[in-house]
Amino acid sequence: MRRTLRTVAIISALLTAAATFTIPSAAAPVTAAANALPGVERLLPRPVSGTTSGRTPFTLAEDARVIARGAARPVADYLAALLRPATGYRLPVSSHPPRRGDIVLDLGPGKAPAGHADEGYRLVTDGDRATISADTPAGLFLGVQTLRQLLPAWVESPTRVDGPWRVQAVTVADYPRFAYRGVMLDVARSYLTVPEIERYLDDAVRFKINILHLHLTDDQAWRLAIDQPAANPSGLDYGALIRVGSLGGSDQLGNGTPLGTGPAIRGYYTQGDYADIVAYAKSRFVTVVPEIDTPGHTNAALASIPRLNPDGVAKPMNNTANVGYSTLDTTSPVTYEFLRTVLTQVAALTPGPYLHIGGDEAAATGHQNYVDYVQRVLPLVAELGKTPMGWNEIAAADLPPGAVVQFWRAASLEQVLHQVSRGAKVVMSPAGTSYLDQKYDAATPIGLNWACRDACDFDRYYDWEPVRDGLAESDVLGVCGPLWSETIRGLSQAQWLTYPRLVSLAEIAWSPRAAKNLADFTDRLAHLGSRLTIAGVNFRPSPAVHWTTEITARSGRARVLKGEIGTFTAPSATTPTARIDFGDGTTATGTVAADRLAGPLNAPGLWRITTPEHRYAHSGTYRGTVTVTTPTGDTSTDFTVHVDKH
Ligand code: TNX
C-alpha cells in the first residue's frame, strides 16, 4: 500500500519544481474509478454549445505540462495547483511548444466565440491534448472550470488517486448570458474568517460565479476596520467601529429565542484582511462588491460613534436579529463626514467597479429624508469613481444613470422600472427564489423561512426567470444569491444552505435561457454530489435527486490483501454494502465504514471499503472487482494485483 498518501499530496501541492515522485510501494496506489467519463452533458452550468467528437479521449500524461505564456501563466499555475493533489503529477507550467498529453492555455485576440471576448472560451480535447482558448485570462479561467468537470470526479481529491486521468474528446464553445453572477455573504450577522471566505469562493467559482458581494455592516455588527482620516473635523473615533461595533452578532430573535446552533461568531477584518480577500478573489477572476448598509441597518455604527446620534449618546449594541429601527441622521453634516471617510477608504481598497450602500428597510428614516439621503450619497459614490449600488428601496429616489438596483422584493417594482427607464441597471435577487438563507423545508435546523416556505430546494431556485416584470435583457446585469447569516455559524453551515441551490442560480446566470430544463438539470446534479463529497464541500443531498456513486479501488503488488481496498461516494445511502471479487475465483464481503455520517446539517463523507485478509496462493496477475450496492444500484471498479514469485 502506498505510504503517506496525504504527505505526498501536500508535498506535490507545495513543490512546483520537485522531482518525479518515486514512492516505495508495498502494495497499492489508488486507481481512478472505472465509471463512465463525465461528458459535456454533465456540465454545470450548461455551456452554450458542447459536443462529443467520438475521437480518442485525452489522457493527462504523468509528464504532462501546462503550456501558457504571458498573462495566461497565472491561470496555468492555478490549474496545475488544482490538478497536482489528486494526480500526484508534477505538472510544470511551461512556455515550450506542446507535446502529446499536455494542456494548452491559448490566450489571444479572436480566440473566444465572436462577440464574447470578455469571458468566452473554447475547449477542445482529443488524443493529443486539451486546449482552452480565450481572449482574456478570465475566459481561460472559466474554461479551466469546464475542463475540471470533464475529468473524473476523483480529480477533486485532496489526496492522491491514480489515473488514468482521461477526458472525452469534446468541443465546447461557451460564454455567459449575464456578466454579473454573484453570491453574497453576510459577514455582519455572523462572521466568517478570511480562510473560510476563500474556501467558500474556491467552490463557488467551480460554477462560474464571478461576483462576491460582502455585506460588511449591519445593525448587529460592523466588520471592516476604518482608519482615522487625516481630516477629521468632528473628531470621530473610527476605531470604535471595531472596539465596539465588531463585538456584536445575531444571537437571538427580539423575543429572546436563540438563533442558530449557538451564538453568532464575532470578528472583524483589518484593511489588510480585506485587501487579502480582494486579491484572492481577483486571482479567481471574482470581483468583490463591498456593502456598507445605510441609512438603516446601522445600529452597530450608532453604538460605536456617539456623535452619529442626534442626542450625541451612543445606542446600545443589539444582538437580536431585529432590523428596521435604526437610522443615520440624514440631516446631520456629521453623517456625511462619516460616510465620506468610510466610503473613500472602501473605494480605495476595492478595485472592482461597484460600491453598495444598502438602502434596504430604512423604516426609521422617514420617506423624504431617505430620498434626500440616497440622492446625496449615490453621487458621492460616483465621485469616488464607483458605480453606486443599493437594494430596491433606493429606486424611490432619482438615481444617477448606470446606478444598480438589487431587486429583492416586488414591493417597489414600479419605482424600479421607472429608474430603469432613466438608465439604472438591475441585479436580480428575488427573495423567494434566490435567498440562500431560507430553510430547504420545515426540517432544516437553521435558516429563516419568511421568503420561502416548505419547498425551497434547488428546483425552486432553478425554475425562475430573471428577465421579467417588464424588464429587458439588457436592463439586467445578472443574478446574485444572498446568504444572510442570522442563523448560520461558520463555513460548513454556510455551505449546507448554499449547495446545491447556488448551482441553480449559477446556471440561470450563465446558461442560455432556451437551455433551461429542470429534469436535465436534476440529472446533472445527481453526478455533482460525488464531486462535492470528494472535494469536501458540505451540501444538502436533496431527497429529490438520485445521487450517483463514484468508486475507486487500489491496485498494486502484493501477495496478501488486507485493510483499505477502495473508497466510494454515496450521498443518499445509509447502509451500502461491498463485495470483493479477488480475481482468483474467490470472493468476500468488504466492510464498509463512513468517514462521516449524514446529519441534519452534514453531507455524508466518503465510504471506505476494507477487505478481510486475502492471500493469493500463486504468483501471477489478477484482475479483481469491487462492487458496492447503494440505493441507486450497483457500482463496480476493477483493481489489479501482481503477485510475485517467492
Ligand atoms: C431581509 S433582503 C434583509 C436582511 C435580512 C434578510 C433575512 C434585505 C435587503 N434585507 O436584512 O438579513 O431579509 O432573510
Side-chain angles (χ1 to χ4, degrees):
M1 178 177 309
R2 227 172 250 282
R3 286 186 309 142
T4 61
L5 288 177
R6 185 177 304 273
T7 316
V8 170
I10 293 167
I11 292 169
S12 68
L14 292 179
L15 299 186
T16 51
T20 350
F21 296 102
T22 46
I23 303 145
S25 131
V30 183
T31 311
N35 310 27
L37 291 173
V40 285
E41 71 287 348
R42 284 201 203 156
L43 291 170
L44 285 161
R46 176 172 280 313
V48 171
S49 88
T51 51
T52 308
S53 70
R55 285 186 303 204
T56 317
F58 168 72
T59 302
L60 184 69
E62 172 144 28
D63 62 351
R65 300 154 316 161
V66 183
I67 307 297
R69 283 183 205 87
R73 283 192 79 106
V75 183
D77 290 335
Y78 167 90
L79 172 60
L82 211 68
L83 300 177
R84 283 182 192 123
T87 62
Y89 298 167
R90 279 182 58 215
L91 296 170
V93 173
S94 156
S95 53
H96 289 120
R99 296 186 306 232
R100 195 178 164 86
D102 283 348
I103 299 175
V104 181
L105 301 187
D106 184 14
L107 180 67
K111 304 275 183 187
H116 302 282
D118 285 358
E119 293 189 299
Y121 70 91
R122 296 179 191 276
L123 167 66
V124 178
T125 55
D126 57 30
D128 279 341
R129 65 188 62 124
T131 306
I132 302 170
S133 40
D135 288 48
T136 62
L140 291 178
F141 181 83
L142 293 161
V144 159
Q145 300 307 332
T146 299
L147 175 61
R148 182 182 191 183
Q149 286 187 22
L150 293 171
L151 281 156
W154 296 100
V155 78
E156 301 300 338
S157 171
T159 55
R160 184 168 171 176
V161 179
D162 268 12
W165 298 102
R166 281 196 308 213
V167 176
Q168 285 186 19
V170 302
T171 303
V172 175
D174 200 13
Y175 51 83
R177 178 178 177 196
F178 295 113
Y180 194 109
R181 303 181 302 276
V183 66
M184 189 209 83
L185 291 176
D186 170 9
V187 291
R189 274 55 176 273
S190 188
Y191 177 75
L192 291 169
T193 64
V194 174
E196 284 180 317
I197 292 176
E198 292 175 351
R199 174 68 212 235
Y200 188 90
L201 205 56
D202 275 336
D203 294 315
V205 297
R206 296 167 185 276
F207 308 105
K208 302 184 167 71
I209 292 295
N210 69 347
I211 295 281
L212 174 65
H213 173 170
L214 285 178
H215 185 80
L216 291 164
T217 70
D218 211 298
D219 282 317
Q220 292 76 13
W222 184 286
R223 305 272 180 224
L224 178 66
I226 300 296
D227 295 339
Q228 286 299 99
N232 189 357
S234 303
L236 306 182
D237 175 8
Y238 291 89
L241 292 168
I242 296 309
R243 283 202 321 281
V244 178
S246 77
L247 302 183
S250 172
D251 296 334
Q252 57 199 43
L253 292 175
N255 67 12
T257 309
L259 283 169
T261 51
I265 297 164
R266 271 65 172 172
Y268 69 94
Y269 310 105
T270 65
Q271 295 200 354
D273 290 337
Y274 179 83
D276 287 348
I277 295 168
V278 166
Y280 194 88
K282 188 153 183 267
S283 74
R284 272 106 179 111
F285 303 92
V286 170
T287 298
V288 171
V289 176
E291 179 186 351
I292 304 294
D293 200 352
T294 63
H297 289 262
T298 44
N299 187 67
L302 298 168
S304 303
I305 301 180
R307 288 207 55 199
L308 290 177
N309 299 277
D311 58 4
V313 178
K315 296 283 190 306
M317 288 289 282
N318 183 342
N319 297 317
T320 73
N322 286 354
V323 295
Y325 62 90
S326 64
T327 185
L328 293 173
D329 180 357
T330 61
T331 62
S332 162
V334 179
T335 292
Y336 297 96
E337 182 188 327
F338 170 75
L339 279 169
R340 182 175 282 278
T341 299
V342 170
L343 298 180
T344 300
Q345 292 185 25
V346 174
L349 287 165
T350 304
Y354 305 108
L355 207 170
H356 200 303
I357 59 98
D360 56 316
E361 302 173 314
T365 308
H367 178 73
Q368 195 53 48
N369 285 345
Y370 179 83
V371 169
D372 293 346
Y373 174 85
V374 171
Q375 291 184 172
R376 197 158 159 186
V377 172
L378 265 56
L380 169 59
V381 172
E383 191 191 308
L384 294 169
K386 299 296 176 190
T387 300
M389 191 163 174
W391 298 103
N392 303 59
E393 288 91 329
I394 65 167
D398 273 344
L399 307 179
V404 179
V405 177
Q406 190 165 357
F407 183 95
W408 66 284
R409 59 177 176 187
S412 52
L413 181 64
E414 289 307 313
Q415 293 171 338
V416 173
L417 291 176
H418 178 61
Q419 293 307 317
V420 165
S421 75
R422 298 179 65 257
K425 299 288 178 195
V426 180
V427 167
M428 293 301 285
S429 302
T433 55
S434 64
Y435 272 26
L436 298 169
D437 69 321
Q438 301 293 300
K439 289 177 186 290
Y440 288 98
D441 58 26
T444 313
I446 58 172
L448 301 179
N449 65 0
W450 68 266
C452 186
R453 270 182 208 278
D454 299 332
C456 310
D457 206 345
F458 69 89
D459 50 342
R460 178 167 174 144
Y461 284 57
Y462 184 75
D463 205 4
W464 63 281
E465 168 49 40
V467 177
R468 58 169 207 209
D469 297 332
L471 293 166
E473 186 90 9
S474 60
D475 299 328
V476 178
L477 289 181
V479 170
C480 179
L483 184 67
W484 302 101
S485 66
E486 285 92 337
T487 68
I488 299 173
R489 308 294 177 251
L491 177 66
S492 169
Q493 294 183 6
Q495 290 178 335
W496 177 261
L497 288 177
T498 298
Y499 295 104
R501 292 184 294 194
L502 181 62
V503 187
S504 304
L505 301 180
E507 178 144 319
I508 288 177
W510 180 276
S511 304
R513 181 174 184 169
K516 185 176 296 185
N517 179 325
L518 178 59
D520 172 78
F521 180 77
T522 307
D523 285 348
R524 284 179 285 140
L525 268 190
H527 294 279
L528 181 69
S530 290
R531 211 167 271 270
L532 295 178
T533 302
I534 296 166
V537 179
N538 191 32
F539 70 104
R540 176 178 179 268
S542 164
V545 175
H546 294 289
W547 302 102
T548 62
T549 285
E550 296 283 340
I551 181 169
T552 79
R554 292 160 183 267
S555 291
R557 211 166 272 287
R559 174 166 292 271
V560 178
L561 289 191
K562 133 183 199 201
E564 190 180 317
I565 191 164
T567 307
F568 65 102
T569 64
S572 51
T574 44
T575 53
T577 56
R579 228 171 40 253
I580 303 159
D581 179 333
F582 295 103
D584 62 355
T586 59
T587 61
T589 300
T591 307
V592 166
D595 270 4
R596 185 177 73 178
L597 286 171
L601 284 172
N602 263 349
L606 292 166
W607 296 85
R608 312 277 174 191
I609 309 163
T610 308
T611 174
E613 184 167 310
H614 179 73
R615 178 172 298 270
Y616 286 94
H618 306 287
S619 62
T621 296
Y622 298 91
R623 175 147 304 234
T625 310
V626 185
T627 304
V628 292
T629 303
T630 69
T632 48
D634 283 1
T635 312
S636 305
T637 192
D638 293 344
F639 63 94
T640 306
V641 182
H642 300 285
V643 182
D644 294 330
K645 291 210 172 72
H646 281 305

